[in-house]
């Protein structure tokens, strides 16, 4: 029997095993075993990878090397050469496990977590007591059964990898999300009736949806299915506004007594049997007013009320018999009261917001939750000193702002100074309020919380601009700092097809001094313009840390952008991952940009760009949020990404280096090296 035939056996056995798991109601991660593509080994010889396990969606899980027991390389599955081939192939794909098999035995190995550690043999199975592959047919059933035992062990290991970082979507959050959905559903038919009878109200709601949530709607009762879908989404926004106030109220109940200026808040209860929306609304308004008075703070968090009037639409006629407004709001209050929000992940508000927006609408809005590991890695790069002044130009739910606050506090900033040195900009009213709340609740044990979050189009913002913000105890309106030490964030994923204000953006960039603007095509996505404009806010040596579309590396518009970066930055690193998508629901893959503003051409041109490909998920590399060692491990990993020499066999990452030169590290074929920077008169 040759290796290809035996690989076919194992693929068949794996399919039968996976089907049995599915039929028993315990579907497995391992769905198929594919005979791998041909590869060139370390000596230049063409070989097969033999077997690769895939998930149902085609994600690679583990791979193995097959040999016959009668050939020299296959006599011992633990032989160094056989293991080295299997390990190299697993490493190239970022796989945590690999195996070696010679038809007689199979050995399973876990790839070490760092280059200075040895791989661990974690299991060994005898498949059949044979000496030659020609004997395999006699043991086919035994090999099938023992292969199933091997798959059981590997499946358990892979499940452990999947659970390396507990999801931020805890049971508490799921319960809260479902309660928000129920509140919206309870009111939806009354609101639909009210809107259908009042065209003027429809226009008001459409305008509020666009201005506060950047959510364009049609709201045509003559299109009943789409009309109701939009009504429900609008009501979810409104219910979320109140839910986050209830979360803050609950947090202040826990934290108020431990503040330097202690206070208490009354327990809040709502009549479950009530069919009167106005009774529920009055009780909630009274509680939020109490929180403002007792805390002497948090007006910005408790006062906004988009779509609240709609949510509490009164029933008419027989609608009262079907009204369960008291039950819906009591369940929402119970969902909030049943969780300890002080221990919930820092990004919970942003994640919950994403959870209540239907996926098709998230694609339309370009809004996606940034994983906490990604956020913390980028802010660790951007912020080096406790007094760094930091800007997030598109705050969304405030994940980067809160991570920035935590980073500054961890390295020595006070609560007051941290808030004074963090600036956010957001064009959508509700997202700006959400970011304000996220920062305001960053440390509820402190007495004052006045975040610098601007409701403004980033392309209308300029260094030194006077803003409408006024801080109690400070004279006059706040002015945007003339230079920032770091710009961090996740610019919106909006395709050029949906950018409606391109001329406005370009006119804003023309005013940026000392920038050689890139000659982008009309097909340039939104994040490119954010990078260019953000450059005008950075001081010499300041850092830009963004997560952006991987289109920067392979699209036509990426070429002028990379040249632009080469003329204004030391490009420290560009990182991607072969083992995880940081935004699995987005239409694009992403990379992390680590840039440092540099005005000296010689320092830019001699800089070494590091192209980093992660072979491990960030959850496998850095400890979880709340772990005492997280900051140190994160900083050490960051140094490996941007500075340190990396062993080619490092299981965490592969690093390729390119001298930046005058073109940002680009090498273009002769004949297509046309100018892609705008002349001054252009």
């Amino acid at each position: 029997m040759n290796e290809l035939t035996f690989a076919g056996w194992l693929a068949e056995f794996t399919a039968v095993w996976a089907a049995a798991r599915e039929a028993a109601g315990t579907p497995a991660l391992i769905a198929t075993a594919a005979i791998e593509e041909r590869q060139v080994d370390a000596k230049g010889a063409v070989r097969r990878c033999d077997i690769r396990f895939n998930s149902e969606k085609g994600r690679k899980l583990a791979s193995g090397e097959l040999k016959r027991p009668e050939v020299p390389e296959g006599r011992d599955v633990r032989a160094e050469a056989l293991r080295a081939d299997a390990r190299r192939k697993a490493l190239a794909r970022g796989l945590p496990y690999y195996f070696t098999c010679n038809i007689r035995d199979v050995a399973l190995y876990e790839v070490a977590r760092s280059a200075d550690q040895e791989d661990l043999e974690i299991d060994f199975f005898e498949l059949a007591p044979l000496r030659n592959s020609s004997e395999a047919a006699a043991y086919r059933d035994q090999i099938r059964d023992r292969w199933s035992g091997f798959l059981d062990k590997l499946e358990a290991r892979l499940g452990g990898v999947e659970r390396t970082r507990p999801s931020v979507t805890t049971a508490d959050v799921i319960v809260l999300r479902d309660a928000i959905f129920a509140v919206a559903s309870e009111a939806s038919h009354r609101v639909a009736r009210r809107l259908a009878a009042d065209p003027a109200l429809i226009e008001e709601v459409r305008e509020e949806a666009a201005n506060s949530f950047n959510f364009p709607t049609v709201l045509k009762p003559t299109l009943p299915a789409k009309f109701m879908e939009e009504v429900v989404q609008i009501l979810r926004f409104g219910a979320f506004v109140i839910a986050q106030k209830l979360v803050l109220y609950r947090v202040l109940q826990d934290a108020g007594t431990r503040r330097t200026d202690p206070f208490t808040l009354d327990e809040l209860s709502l009549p479950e049997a009530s069919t009167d929306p106005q009774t529920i609304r009055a009780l909630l308004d009274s509680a939020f007013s109490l929180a403002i008075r007792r805390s002497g703070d948090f007006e910005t968090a408790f006062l906004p009320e988009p779509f609240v009037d709609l949510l509490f639409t009164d029933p008419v006629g027989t609608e009262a018999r079907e009204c369960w407004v008291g039950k819906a709001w009591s369940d929402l209050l119970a969902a909030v009261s049943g969780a300890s929000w002080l221990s919930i992940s820092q990004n919970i508000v942003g994640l919950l917001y994403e959870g209540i927006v239907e996926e098709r609408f998230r694609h339309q809005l370009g809004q996606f939750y940034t994983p906490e590991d990604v956020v913390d890695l980028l802010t660790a790069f951007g912020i080096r000193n406790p007094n760094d002044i930091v800007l997030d130009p598109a705050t969304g739910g405030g994940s980067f702002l809160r991570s920035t606050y935590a980073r500054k506090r961890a390295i020595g900033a006070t609560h007051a100074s941290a808030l004074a040195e963090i600036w956010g900009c957001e064009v959508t009213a509700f997202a700006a309020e959400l970011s304000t709340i996220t920062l305001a609740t960053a440390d509820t044990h402190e007495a004052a919380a006045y975040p610098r979050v601007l409701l403004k189009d980033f392309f209308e913002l300029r260094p030194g601009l006077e803003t409408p913000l006024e801080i109690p105890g400070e004279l006059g309106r706040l002015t945007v700092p003339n230079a920032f030490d770091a710009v961090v964030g996740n610019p919106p994923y909006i395709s050029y097809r949906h950018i409606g204000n391109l001329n406005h953006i370009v006119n804003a960039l023309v005013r940026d001094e000392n920038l050689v603007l890139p000659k982008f095509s009309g097909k340039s996505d939104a994040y490119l313009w954010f990078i260019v404009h953000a450059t005008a806010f950075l001081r010499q040596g300041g850092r830009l840390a963004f997560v952006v579309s991987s289109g920067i590396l392979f699209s036509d518009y990426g070429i002028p952008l990379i040249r632009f970066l080469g003329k204004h930055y030391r490009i420290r690193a560009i990182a991607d991952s072969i083992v995880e998508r940081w935004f699995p629901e987005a239409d694009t893959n992403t990379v992390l940009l680590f840039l440092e503003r540099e005005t000296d051409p010689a320092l830019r041109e001699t800089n070494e760009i590091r192209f980093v490909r992660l072979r491990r998920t960030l959850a496998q590399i850095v400890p979880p949020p709340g772990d005492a060692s997280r900051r140190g491990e994160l900083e050490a990993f960051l140094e490996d990404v941007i500075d340190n020499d990396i062993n080619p066999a490092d299981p965490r990452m592969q690093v390729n280096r390119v001298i930046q030169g005058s073109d940002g590290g680009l090498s273009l074929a002769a004949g297509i090296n046309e100018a892609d920077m705008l002349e001054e008169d252009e």
Side-chain angles (χ1 to χ4, degrees):
M1 175 183 292
N2 62 34
E3 293 159 7
L4 186 59
T5 301
F6 185 63
W9 279 20
L10 298 184
E12 176 190 342
F13 299 159
T14 303
V16 171
W17 172 87
R21 292 278 300 246
E22 182 76 30
T26 55
L29 287 170
I30 301 171
T32 62
I35 300 174
E36 259 288 10
E37 72 273 10
R38 294 162 67 86
Q39 276 201 348
V40 178
D41 69 12
K43 297 180 180 179
V46 177
R47 313 173 71 101
R48 288 188 179 275
C49 257
D50 298 311
I51 288 286
R52 183 190 69 209
F53 295 118
N54 297 329
S55 71
E56 185 177 7
K57 294 184 177 181
R59 184 161 60 89
K60 302 177 181 72
L61 301 172
S63 64
E65 187 79 7
L66 301 184
K67 294 297 175 192
R68 290 175 292 154
E70 64 267 24
V71 301
E73 304 123 296
R75 289 173 186 160
D76 181 3
V77 292
R78 295 185 172 107
E80 185 58 36
L82 186 59
R83 279 188 57 189
D85 272 348
R87 183 185 197 275
R88 181 177 56 81
K89 294 164 186 175
L91 203 61
R93 290 164 177 76
L95 305 179
Y97 298 102
Y98 62 92
F99 64 91
T100 55
C101 181
N102 64 357
I103 306 180
R104 181 179 62 238
D105 304 314
V106 57
L108 178 62
Y109 297 92
E110 180 178 16
V111 178
R113 291 180 176 265
S114 64
D116 59 356
Q117 296 177 342
E118 292 291 329
D119 292 355
L120 180 66
E121 180 184 314
I122 55 177
D123 243 315
F124 181 90
F125 293 81
E126 182 189 78
L127 298 178
L130 51 79
R131 293 176 178 272
N132 191 288
S133 60
S134 61
E135 305 168 42
Y139 293 97
R140 178 181 167 91
D141 290 347
Q142 177 177 315
I143 292 173
R144 180 198 60 217
D145 294 343
R146 293 188 178 181
W147 182 253
S148 294
F150 164 75
L151 292 175
D152 288 338
K153 289 293 184 71
L154 177 58
E155 174 72 21
R157 289 279 178 171
L158 291 170
V161 171
E162 293 292 302
R163 294 188 294 272
T164 298
R165 178 76 81 245
S167 171
V168 181
T169 313
T170 65
D172 292 324
V173 178
I174 293 171
V175 169
L176 181 55
R177 181 201 63 194
D178 290 347
I180 289 172
F181 285 4
V183 165
S185 176
E186 190 280 328
S188 60
H189 291 287
R190 296 196 303 276
V191 172
R193 179 260 305 157
R194 181 180 170 190
L195 289 172
D198 191 343
L201 180 59
I202 283 181
E203 287 306 309
E204 289 179 20
V205 171
R206 289 181 64 192
E207 185 176 349
E208 178 73 19
N211 292 340
S212 293
F213 296 90
N214 196 28
F215 179 52
T217 56
V218 177
L219 282 179
K220 287 189 175 181
T222 54
L223 302 172
K226 184 173 180 61
F227 177 65
M228 185 56 72
E229 183 182 62
E230 291 179 339
V231 166
V232 168
Q233 184 59 73
I234 284 169
L235 293 176
R236 287 179 182 178
F237 283 137
F240 177 75
V241 170
I242 298 181
Q244 69 184 8
K245 296 179 185 182
L246 289 171
V247 169
L248 178 56
Y249 191 91
R250 177 75 174 84
V251 168
L252 292 176
Q253 281 183 312
D254 287 342
T257 57
R258 296 192 293 273
R259 283 173 45 152
T260 54
D261 54 340
F263 63 88
T264 59
L265 293 179
D266 298 344
E267 287 297 322
L268 175 59
S269 64
L270 299 173
E272 184 173 328
S274 176
T275 61
D276 180 12
Q278 301 312 316
T279 295
I280 304 299
R281 183 176 186 176
L283 289 169
L284 292 172
D285 286 346
S286 176
F288 300 151
S289 296
L290 176 67
I292 292 172
R293 294 197 311 275
R294 293 272 175 91
S295 70
D297 202 351
F298 300 106
E299 298 95 333
T300 54
F302 281 116
L303 292 181
E305 292 191 328
F307 300 140
V308 171
D309 181 63
L310 281 182
L311 271 173
F312 295 103
T313 294
D314 284 324
V316 173
T318 59
E319 287 178 343
R321 290 201 299 264
E322 299 175 357
C323 179
W324 45 287
V325 62
K327 177 70 165 60
W329 283 100
S330 294
D331 288 349
L332 177 55
L333 178 60
V336 171
S337 299
S340 176
W341 294 98
L342 290 176
S343 64
I344 293 295
S345 165
Q346 292 179 347
N347 288 330
I348 193 61
V349 178
L351 178 65
L352 183 59
Y353 175 49
E354 179 176 302
I356 61 110
V357 182
E358 290 288 347
E359 181 178 347
R360 56 190 171 279
F361 294 142
R362 286 205 301 277
H363 284 286
Q364 179 178 318
L365 301 176
Q367 295 171 340
F368 296 96
Y369 163 78
T370 311
E372 198 159 1
D373 292 330
V374 171
V375 175
D376 289 350
L377 181 64
L378 291 173
T379 56
F381 171 77
I383 301 156
R384 292 162 286 176
N385 299 300
N387 59 346
D388 278 352
I389 303 174
V390 186
L391 170 68
D392 179 352
T395 62
S399 297
F400 279 88
L401 295 181
R402 189 143 185 177
S403 176
T404 295
Y405 174 88
R407 170 75 178 165
K408 286 171 67 68
R409 291 298 303 271
I411 60 178
T414 65
H415 173 71
S417 67
L419 285 181
E421 293 157 355
I422 300 172
W423 288 74
C425 184
E426 174 56 54
V427 70
T428 303
F430 177 65
E433 291 162 2
L434 198 59
S435 294
T436 300
I437 292 169
T438 299
L439 263 186
T441 58
D443 187 345
T444 52
H445 294 87
E446 295 283 353
Y450 299 102
R452 275 72 168 164
V453 177
L454 300 169
L455 174 59
K456 199 171 190 65
D457 185 334
F458 177 50
F459 297 98
E460 295 176 357
L461 195 68
R462 311 208 60 75
L465 181 73
E466 184 182 88
T467 75
L469 292 180
E470 296 185 54
I471 302 298
E474 297 187 18
L475 294 177
R477 296 179 175 180
L478 296 184
T479 299
V480 176
N482 289 317
F484 287 81
D485 299 287
V487 179
V488 298
N490 175 13
Y493 291 83
I494 300 176
S495 168
Y496 69 89
R497 298 178 184 87
H498 304 297
I499 299 176
N501 60 341
L502 188 56
N503 289 336
H504 166 70
I505 291 173
V506 172
N507 289 335
L509 297 181
V510 168
R511 296 194 299 270
D512 289 338
E513 298 180 4
N514 303 318
L515 295 184
V516 181
L517 299 182
K519 188 183 289 184
F520 289 145
S521 71
K523 297 182 178 180
S524 301
D525 293 344
Y527 74 90
L528 280 78
W529 307 104
F530 271 80
I531 293 172
V532 174
H533 191 43
T535 303
F537 290 79
L538 281 170
R539 66 167 178 81
Q540 161 68 9
R543 288 182 166 184
L544 184 146
F546 274 1
V547 52
V548 299
S549 166
S550 58
I552 185 178
L553 300 179
F554 58 78
S555 65
D556 289 341
Y557 61 68
I559 294 173
L561 175 63
I562 290 176
R563 283 217 176 93
F564 171 83
L565 299 181
K567 292 182 180 297
H568 297 284
Y569 292 95
R570 291 171 63 209
I571 305 173
R572 300 297 302 274
I574 300 177
D576 74 347
S577 173
I578 61 172
V579 294
E580 65 178 332
R581 290 187 65 181
W582 292 313
F583 300 90
E585 293 182 349
D587 290 332
T588 182
N589 289 326
T590 52
V591 297
L592 309 183
L593 290 183
F594 301 88
L595 309 177
E596 191 169 294
R597 189 80 164 89
E598 182 53 68
T599 57
D600 187 332
L603 293 178
R604 293 197 307 265
E605 293 177 13
T606 57
N607 176 60
E608 187 177 73
I609 305 174
R610 295 163 67 93
F611 291 93
V612 179
R613 173 150 287 182
L614 299 184
R615 294 167 165 167
R616 286 285 178 275
T617 66
L618 287 172
Q620 293 172 284
I621 294 172
V622 297
D627 190 295
S629 64
R630 178 176 171 86
R631 177 187 159 198
E633 293 283 339
L634 194 67
E635 291 174 350
F637 173 64
L638 177 62
E639 287 301 308
D640 286 342
V641 168
I642 65 172
D643 269 328
N644 295 338
D645 290 335
I646 298 299
N647 188 322
D650 192 313
R652 302 169 304 159
M653 69 183 92
Q654 174 187 356
V655 178
N656 295 317
R657 298 174 174 84
V658 175
I659 296 300
Q660 184 166 315
S662 60
D663 61 358
L666 290 172
S667 297
L668 299 181
I672 63 169
N673 189 8
E674 59 183 279
D676 50 28
M677 295 296 168
L678 291 176
E679 300 296 335
E680 188 171 341
D681 60 352
E682 295 183 275

